[in-house]
Amino acid sequence: MAVKRDYYEVLGLPRDASGEDVKKAFRKLAFQYHPDRNHEAEASDKFKEINEAYEVLSDTDKRAAYDRFGHNASDNMFGRGFEGFDMGGFGDIFDAFFGGSGRSNQQTARRGEDLRYNIKITFDEAALGCDKEIEISRTEICGTCHGTRSKPGVQPVRCNTCEGTGQIRRVQRSLFGQFINTAVCTDCRGEGQIVKEPCPDCRGIGQQKHKRHISVKIPAGVDEGNGIRITAEGEAGSRGGTAGNLYVMISIKPHEYFTREGENVIYELPVNFAQVALGTEVEIPTLHGPAKLKIPAGSQSGKVFRVKDKGIPHLHGGGRGDQMVVLKVTTPESLSKDQRRLFEELAKSMETGKKDGRA
């Protein structure tokens, strides 16, 4: 059998600690090692040890006996002794200090479920931002009974079976001491109260399904797969809990001629032989309106020009990306007689230049 540690050592206290010191030490350690909060393997055993020490040192008579006789005082002074520790006492002691958060309570407020809505927007809307109105179906608190589940003017009554706690506690005794198991009350289903006359609109559920139109502001710069969280626009909570959130997930339609790389816009500019050979100035489309681009003579197909500040705004602010213009020299599929004659003359001229060593 493991040797018990000194109770003062368990709580980290000197032997002359005051009652308030005992309470403060217990509060700190119980919060740290409570099994509902600490899932380490040793947490449950440590919590039992902390509770046992507190039960003795917080009681004037038990503490006096412990100071005089140590752990041997249990058999003579306290009946079942320290070792007959009540497992059900965990929740009671923790509730006294932390407002009932140490154990599962069926009457605890519950947050509503989150909702997801998929929306498809255009390339321009994603790049420049937009406002959208969406329709969702969600659970809301009943407007007639306001979540009480009872007919207006009629209040629910306290469950006599569980005395309003929502739980039934059963005591079991074993060779290792007394254990208390807690189960959900079957009469009130853990609510702690019983609805005698249900609300006619929600039929005693306390919630109803509604369709709602919600305005969504989509910021400039969102990308495929980004999500926008709208707080408290999800499913309604229960027992006074807050509503869940609504997550609007973005997908983007392909653009007719723009593609995206990060905050940069890629645009492929078709040009003919004459334009790249002689050089020219052209007007190109951008997300922010038309822009001029100068193409130097002799430019090759695949050459990339950067048009600054004509790309996609940074999602979290701080300027915009650029537009990258890629030259694509196109070959005509058919020629008029005059065009063909001119190309033939050009070809002969270029061949003559090669023979003269001027190529």
Side-chain angles (χ1 to χ4, degrees), residues 6-28:
D6 181 80
Y7 288 148
Y8 290 99
E9 178 186 344
V10 170
L11 297 182
L13 293 171
R15 302 192 77 82
D16 59 352
S18 67
E20 187 62 29
D21 291 337
V22 172
K23 187 180 295 186
K24 288 180 179 179
F26 170 76
R27 180 193 293 267
K28 179 180 178 181

Side-chain angles (χ1 to χ4, degrees), residues 34 36 91 94-95 100-108 110 165-167 182-184 190:
H34 193 281
D36 284 352
F94 200 88
D95 288 352
S101 60
R103 63 178 174 178
S104 174
N105 189 333
Q106 295 298 315
Q107 301 183 77
T108 301
R110 293 182 181 177
T165 65
Q167 299 174 334
T182 303
V184 175

Side-chain angles (χ1 to χ4, degrees), residues 147-151 154-158 187-188 191 193-199 203-205:
T148 65
R149 302 183 294 119
S150 290
K151 180 180 178 181
V154 180
Q155 294 297 320
V157 298
R158 193 176 82 153
D187 287 352
C188 67
E191 297 290 340
Q193 54 188 9
I194 295 176
V195 175
K196 293 292 187 180
E197 296 186 50
C199 170
R203 298 179 181 179
I205 298 173

